[in-house]
């Protein structure tokens, strides 16, 4: 992930500030947070501590003392599908939210403050895929928000990929909102765009046409690093999860698409060693 360093905060630690457009956090809203914490705690070795309650009950997942993700509770009367949501960094979330609206996206929540940690908005692109926008506080409180910038660490987010009908059209939206660099044209039979910040790939957009799940539509998919994909799949199934696409070897490692017991989709990836 692309990041710069801020000056020391009041706790004496330097905190990460991600370049605009860089995925800096992932969050999951569920109906049964206690059961969800048990699932991911067993799967990834996460521990949990309370987080900002601006949007209701919320915990931060920690791995070796570093924050890697958030889990919140959906209101009981809100019957929405559970889904992992990536947050893209912004220096000014209010301005970014307005740009989202002007470029054909929708503002769903915020912008609003998340206690002392920063400011956020939840949006959807013109195709309906939901994503967050995060503006970190000048001196974040409680650790490095979105700290999983160390590649190859099992239990941390490794990549975010947007699955949509057509990559080119929606890529123009994200490029307009976040200033991603223009991409060289992909082969005609490969509908994919890589989003880059300061020359580095930070996320991808994959056009899959009618292969999108009808009940999900366009959506972001978060990849979590694991030490052994096949072993993690066995553990996931034993914990009540579901394998959507079996493990397969590719250019970026051994990958499998899965869902947790509430149906939230994500991917496991074992990077090449």
């Amino acid at each position: 992930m692309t990041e710069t360093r801020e000056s020391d905060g009041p706790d004496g630690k330097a905190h990460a500030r991600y370049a605009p457009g860089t995925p800096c956090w992932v969050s999951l809203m569920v109906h049964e947070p206690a059961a969800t914490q048990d699932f991911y705690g067993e799967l990834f070795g996460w521990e949990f501590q309370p987080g900002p309650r601006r949007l209701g009950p919320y915990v931060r997942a920690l791995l070796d003392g570093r924050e890697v993700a958030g889990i919140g509770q959906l209101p009981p009367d809100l019957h929405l599908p559970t889904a992992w949501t990536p947050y893209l960094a912004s220096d000014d979330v209010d301005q970014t939210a307005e740009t989202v609206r002007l470029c054909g996206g929708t503002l769903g929540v915020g912008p609003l403050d998340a206690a002392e940690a920063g400011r956020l908005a939840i949006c959807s692109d013109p195709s309906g895929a939901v994503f967050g926008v995060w503006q970190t506080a000048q001196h974040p409180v409680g650790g490095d928000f979105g700290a999983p910038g160390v590649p190859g660490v099992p239990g941390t987010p490794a990549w975010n990929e947007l699955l949509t009908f057509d990559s080119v059209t929606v890529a123009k939206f994200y490029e307009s909102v976040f200033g991603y660099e223009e991409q060289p044209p992909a082969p005609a039979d490969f509908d994919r765009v890589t989003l880059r910040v300061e020359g580095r790939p930070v996320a991808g957009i994959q056009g899959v046409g009618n292969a999108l799940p009808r009940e999900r539509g366009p959506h972001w998919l978060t990849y979590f690093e694991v030490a052994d994909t096949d072993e993690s799949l066995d553990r996931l199934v034993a914990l009540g999860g579901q394998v959507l696409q079996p493990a397969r070897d590719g250019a970026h490692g051994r990958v499998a698409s899965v869902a947790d017991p509430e149906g939230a989709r994500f991917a496991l990836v074992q990077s090449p060693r």
Side-chain angles (χ1 to χ4, degrees):
M1 293 182 180
T2 301
E3 64 181 70
T4 57
R5 304 302 300 182
E6 287 186 338
S7 58
D8 289 353
D11 56 3
K13 298 179 181 179
H15 296 276
R17 179 178 63 80
Y18 290 85
T22 306
C24 59
W25 190 246
V26 289
S27 190
L28 174 64
M29 301 297 289
V30 297
H31 298 285
E32 299 291 340
T36 298
Q37 290 175 50
D38 290 342
F39 172 81
Y40 286 100
E42 291 290 335
L43 182 63
F44 293 136
W46 290 350
E47 298 178 340
F48 302 92
Q49 69 177 21
R53 297 179 63 89
R54 184 65 177 82
L55 297 179
Y58 192 84
V59 296
R60 291 171 172 176
L62 281 75
L63 186 67
D64 296 329
R66 294 175 65 108
E67 295 174 354
V68 296
I71 297 175
Q73 183 173 6
L74 286 166
D77 57 343
L78 201 59
H79 302 288
L80 295 175
T82 59
W84 280 101
T85 300
Y87 282 71
L88 308 177
S90 171
D91 288 338
D92 186 333
V93 69
D94 294 82
Q95 180 177 329
T96 300
E98 178 64 12
T99 305
V100 165
R101 188 184 66 80
L102 293 174
C103 292
T106 302
L107 182 61
V109 176
L112 51 82
D113 293 325
E116 300 88 357
R119 192 163 170 79
L120 64 86
I122 300 175
C123 311
S124 58
D125 65 30
S127 73
V130 176
F131 64 96
V133 181
W134 175 258
Q135 176 187 347
T136 191
Q138 183 176 2
H139 297 304
V141 175
D144 290 335
F145 189 80
V150 182
V153 176
T156 65
W159 185 251
N160 289 280
E161 187 99 0
L162 173 60
L163 303 181
T164 189
F165 297 110
D166 170 69
S167 68
V168 175
T169 302
V170 75
K172 295 183 184 301
F173 165 82
Y174 286 97
E175 290 167 0
S176 297
V177 173
F178 293 102
Y180 293 118
E181 297 158 10
E182 292 187 9
Q183 306 304 306
D189 59 344
F190 195 56
D191 188 5
R192 190 176 190 281
V193 172
T194 300
L195 302 176
R196 287 181 167 83
V197 173
E198 298 173 358
R200 297 180 58 185
V202 297
I205 299 176
Q206 179 73 57
V208 296
N210 294 327
L212 273 173
R214 183 170 299 179
E215 73 280 7
R216 286 289 294 119
H219 61 281
W220 282 91
L221 184 69
T222 297
Y223 289 68
F224 290 94
E225 185 74 36
V226 293
D228 186 311
T229 300
D230 297 278
E231 181 181 297
S232 296
L233 286 177
D234 290 340
R235 187 181 312 123
L236 175 136
V237 171
L239 293 168
Q242 180 183 1
V243 178
L244 303 178
Q245 292 184 350
R248 60 201 183 279
D249 294 316
H252 302 291
R254 189 160 176 79
V255 180
S257 297
V258 298
D260 68 20
E262 283 205 26
R265 297 169 181 259
F266 58 102
L268 304 175
V269 57
Q270 176 187 345
S271 297
R273 298 293 188 262

